[in-house]
Amino acid sequence: MSAMSAGRPALRMGPAELVQAAAMARRFYLEGKSKIQIAEEFGVSRFKVARVLETALERDLVRIEIRVPAELDAERSDALRARYGLRHAVVVESPPEGEDASPDPENLGEVAADLLGELVAEGDVLGLAWGRSTIHMAAALDRLPPCTVVQLTGVYDAGTAERGSVEAVRRAAQVSGGEAHPIYAPMLLPDPATAAALRNQTGIARAFEYFDKVTVAAVSIGSWEPGISTVHDMLTDEERAHYASLGVAAEMSAHLFDSSGRRVGRDLGERCITVEADRLRRIPEVVAIAGGRRKAAAIGAVLRSGLVTSLVTDTMAADYLLTEFTPGPRPALDRADPDE
């Protein structure tokens, strides 16, 4: 008895088997038919169909490829989402070392713009906070459903409104065809009384009225060091030293956080034109846009705060967050307040 008649080698399929497997695979993977439908067509059991499809994969008759654009890292994105309990995490490739030294690479804003195009629905209220990354994002927007756009913070410098967050709000509203509610005021004021007076001005008060209606927000994150936090750069040396003594590790929309995600230096907020933390926590979808190794620990601190639901970042920050930073007991999706 020859070896062939004794039994077909385990990894070999005969021509009839190959043709049948290819036909079943075509029905299942390309035509979207169910295993029951395929079984009825070929006169076999659905268990037989399942075995044939499994064998087709094992023997390389069928190849399944999952392709995402080269700049997106799907594996890190999914790992980051799961580790921090995020609704969405999108990780993009960091620029080659030394090629882009800016704290907010423009490609983050471009990807965030595409993400907002997915998340915002017709009739939503989109809130935009000051930040270089949100400005990059607004500049990259090319599609948004009809929605209202409101500014969530004052500007870094009232003289930069035309190329800063006011322009970002205008741009987003132009793309969506909706109303724009900008805030023509600095983010940081000299004292609480001046800030309170500005909040009561008609235009600013009207924008604040929309804060409780915001359904999707985009924010930036800064670490407590020069050039990486707008608020840090606006303060005096004495003020920076004071807040540093409180353990500030991160800043977002003029709110300060220690490494555990707890808010510190709350007196600063009294001098700022910004959305309150409690209101931010009630917004259903808050997308943070931040990347780079210098911001990695700050991103982790803000994620621990429970204020953020989604994150657009880069591989450099993602690697730190996945290997060197512990999420803590309250992942971002819980929206829990670590101060309570």
Side-chain angles (χ1 to χ4, degrees):
M1 183 180 294
S2 68
M4 288 297 294
S5 61
R8 184 178 292 116
L11 295 180
R12 183 174 177 180
M13 297 176 73
E17 291 174 312
L18 284 168
V19 170
Q20 184 185 68
M24 288 183 176
R26 177 174 294 278
R27 304 290 194 279
F28 187 72
Y29 292 108
L30 299 183
E31 298 176 12
K33 292 189 175 181
S34 69
K35 293 175 184 176
I36 293 176
Q37 289 174 314
I38 297 169
E40 290 175 352
E41 178 182 348
F42 286 87
V44 298
S45 71
R46 62 186 175 90
F47 303 106
K48 166 72 172 178
V49 174
R51 287 196 300 273
V52 170
L53 293 175
E54 185 178 345
T55 301
L57 284 171
E58 290 174 351
R59 302 188 184 183
D60 213 23
L61 184 64
V62 173
R63 295 182 183 181
I64 297 176
E65 292 183 312
I66 300 173
R67 293 185 178 182
V68 295
E71 70 271 16
L72 298 183
D73 192 310
E75 186 174 349
R76 283 186 176 92
S77 298
D78 189 54
L80 200 61
R81 178 200 57 76
R83 183 174 175 82
Y84 287 87
L86 295 163
R87 286 203 184 94
H88 306 280
V90 182
V91 178
V92 305
E93 288 291 335
S94 298
E97 195 168 349
E99 188 170 295
D100 188 346
S102 68
D104 297 283
E106 291 192 20
N107 62 337
L108 292 184
E110 293 166 1
V111 173
D114 286 340
L115 179 61
L116 280 194
E118 292 183 65
L119 298 181
V120 176
E122 183 173 350
D124 274 350
V125 177
L126 171 62
L128 299 181
W130 160 266
R132 284 176 287 258
S133 57
T134 52
I135 291 170
H136 291 157
M137 179 206 68
L141 282 170
D142 59 10
R143 63 185 177 100
L144 270 181
C147 65
T148 299
V149 186
V150 61
Q151 193 170 323
L152 296 179
T153 64
V155 298
Y156 173 53
D157 179 345
T160 67
E162 290 304 314
R163 58 185 183 274
S165 48
V166 169
E167 180 56 30
V169 169
R170 287 176 176 165
R171 166 66 182 166
Q174 180 184 34
V175 172
S176 75
E179 295 180 5
H181 294 276
I183 293 178
Y184 294 96
M187 181 188 294
L188 181 66
L189 282 304
D191 53 69
T194 304
L198 274 178
R199 290 189 202 104
N200 288 325
Q201 288 189 356
T202 303
I204 297 174
R206 186 177 299 116
F208 267 63
E209 289 173 0
Y210 275 91
F211 286 0
D212 286 330
K213 303 174 185 176
V214 173
T215 49
V216 180
V219 299
S220 297
I221 296 173
S223 57
W224 199 245
E225 55 180 302
I228 312 296
S229 164
T230 301
V231 172
H232 178 281
D233 293 345
M234 287 192 287
L235 298 173
T236 65
D237 289 341
E238 183 179 354
E239 289 170 328
R240 292 180 195 130
H242 165 66
Y243 291 117
S245 72
L246 301 179
V248 175
E251 173 265 317
M252 181 179 70
S253 303
H255 300 295
L256 309 182
F257 306 87
D258 65 16
S259 59
S260 66
R262 294 178 180 275
R263 289 179 56 216
V264 295
R266 298 189 181 210
D267 60 306
L268 180 65
E270 297 173 3
R271 297 169 48 195
C272 292
I273 303 297
T274 186
V275 60
E276 300 95 325
D278 289 342
R279 277 177 159 175
L280 199 59
R281 196 183 302 280
R282 292 196 296 269
I283 296 174
E285 184 74 76
V286 179
V287 181
I289 313 161
R293 180 61 183 83
R294 293 174 68 186
K295 283 191 175 184
I299 295 169
V302 172
L303 292 182
R304 282 178 169 175
S305 77
L307 290 175
V308 168
T309 61
S310 297
L311 175 67
V312 178
T313 190
D314 63 0
T315 52
M316 196 170 292
D319 285 343
Y320 175 87
L321 293 168
L322 289 170
T323 62
E324 301 181 45
F325 196 87
T326 304
R330 296 185 175 98
L333 191 57
D334 289 348
R335 310 304 294 279
D337 188 345
D339 292 336
E340 294 181 351

